Amino acid sequence: MKIFYLTLLCVGLMACSSEADRLSDNELRAKIQECDYAVGLTAVELQVCNNYHRECKRRLKEGRFVCN
């Protein structure tokens, strides 16, 4: 049963990463702001926020300053 949940979590996290790729700069900025002010996030929510931050860094390397 644990393997099932671990697999489900991994699939969900990969989907979140690709979701961040599809966000507009404004949408990504809003998601980052939500993450930065959120309290009591679950492990999955923290990983989603990490994915948003990683996407900000990727866009910065492209020369697009999106997140503060």
Side-chain angles (χ1 to χ4, degrees), residues 10-51:
C10 290
V11 170
L13 293 177
M14 288 186 301
C16 293
S17 179
S18 62
E19 175 191 338
D21 294 345
R22 293 189 299 264
L23 292 174
S24 71
D25 291 349
N26 289 334
E27 290 169 326
L28 181 58
R29 190 177 298 112
K31 295 284 188 184
I32 289 292
Q33 186 175 11
E34 288 175 19
C35 286
D36 288 347
Y37 290 100
V39 176
L41 296 175
T42 66
V44 173
E45 292 168 329
L46 284 171
Q47 185 59 50
V48 169
C49 288
N50 288 337
N51 290 342

Side-chain angles (χ1 to χ4, degrees), residues 54-65:
R54 186 172 34 248
E55 178 62 17
C56 280
K57 289 178 185 176
R58 186 188 70 77
R59 292 182 190 194
L60 182 60
K61 287 180 182 178
E62 292 179 349
R64 296 163 50 194
F65 186 75

